[in-house]
Amino acid sequence: MRGMETAVKVSEQLVDSSVSVKTLYETIFRNALTKESIPAFYEAMTFPASPISNPEKFYIPDFITAIVIKGKYVVIEPHTADFITLDYLEKIKYFKDYFHFYMVLASDKLIEKIRFDVLNYVDEYWFVADSGWIFFELEEKRVIRYLQELKSKGEVRSIEELSSYLHKVAKEVERINTLKALGRQKGHS
């Protein structure tokens, strides 16, 4: 197995107001998580997002939180509707089902306006407008209300418990990456 890069690094970039996120839209979620004192990691690790037979698909969750609902850690994935494709929904559904996460997809369009039946792929869908700085505080308050609802459905665990869980999951990701790498090597033999 030499030469195969299968080790998985868990980036423990704790979400707080200093964490750099990619978009203003993600900033709304970062700020709300911080204000609600919900431990979370931003883009903690890369996951396979398809069965072993398709080694090219991967998924990097935006916010893995320490909220646990029905025994599953909550992932919050904010995306503008332009990026919600069937391929994307299938990737996050595979991730959610295989790795046992509770998946929240947040988008800037009402659920009725999205071409797909989103709730077949995720556990919850949140409407959060992407209005730039104009309604930033209003949308942040909306996300805080959503987060409070999530907390009422489950419990908030410590950042240490979340970190420990992600390190266990990383071992499974390493196993899958090894199998995918072996499959690629066989295909090139």
Side-chain angles (χ1 to χ4, degrees):
M1 284 208 244
R2 259 181 5 174
M4 283 187 267
E5 294 297 320
T6 60
V8 174
K9 182 176 181 279
V10 178
S11 168
E12 295 189 1
Q13 188 169 319
L14 182 63
V15 173
D16 63 20
S17 59
S18 69
V19 167
S20 178
V21 293
K22 292 179 182 165
T23 65
L24 181 60
Y25 192 61
E26 287 180 347
T27 303
I28 295 169
F29 296 84
R30 179 203 65 197
N31 290 0
L33 286 162
T34 301
K35 287 180 180 179
E36 281 298 297
S37 300
I38 297 171
F41 291 124
Y42 179 70
E43 295 190 343
M45 61 192 283
T46 301
F47 291 85
S50 68
I52 293 168
S53 61
N54 187 346
E56 304 310 316
K57 286 189 177 185
F58 63 92
Y59 169 64
I60 303 170
D62 285 333
F63 298 98
I64 301 178
T65 75
I67 301 171
V68 176
I69 298 175
K70 299 176 185 172
K72 299 176 180 180
Y73 281 93
V74 174
V75 171
I76 300 173
E77 190 65 31
H79 272 285
T80 56
D82 299 340
F83 293 100
I84 300 175
T85 63
L86 187 56
D87 183 59
Y88 171 74
L89 291 171
E90 287 172 347
K91 281 191 337 184
I92 62 176
K93 181 173 178 20
Y94 176 83
F95 161 80
K96 170 185 89 87
D97 292 346
Y98 191 88
F99 294 102
H100 308 289
F101 282 95
Y102 187 94
M103 179 65 68
V104 176
L105 176 61
S107 185
D108 60 338
K109 286 210 168 118
L110 295 172
I111 194 167
E112 299 82 27
K113 302 283 184 188
I114 295 185
R115 301 182 306 268
F116 311 104
D117 189 358
V118 174
L119 293 176
N120 283 336
Y121 300 90
V122 299
D123 297 295
E124 291 189 30
Y125 180 86
W126 298 350
F127 168 74
V128 179
D130 183 15
S131 54
W133 289 109
I134 298 171
F135 296 110
F136 185 88
E137 287 182 22
L138 180 67
E139 294 308 316
E140 188 178 282
K141 288 177 184 172
R142 183 191 312 250
V143 173
I144 287 171
R145 285 192 304 275
Y146 283 135
L147 291 172
Q148 290 167 345
E149 288 175 24
L150 274 183
K151 289 193 302 187
S152 73
K153 294 176 188 178
E155 65 176 314
V156 179
R157 296 195 178 153
S158 71
I159 198 69
E160 293 80 17
E161 289 173 292
L162 175 57
S163 177
S164 174
Y165 179 75
L166 287 179
H167 281 87
K168 288 177 189 169
V169 170
K171 291 184 186 326
E172 175 60 10
V173 171
E174 287 175 3
R175 186 187 74 77
I176 292 169
N177 288 346
T178 299
L179 291 172
K180 286 184 175 190
L182 287 171
R184 281 193 299 267
Q185 280 187 346
K186 285 182 183 176
H188 294 294
S189 299

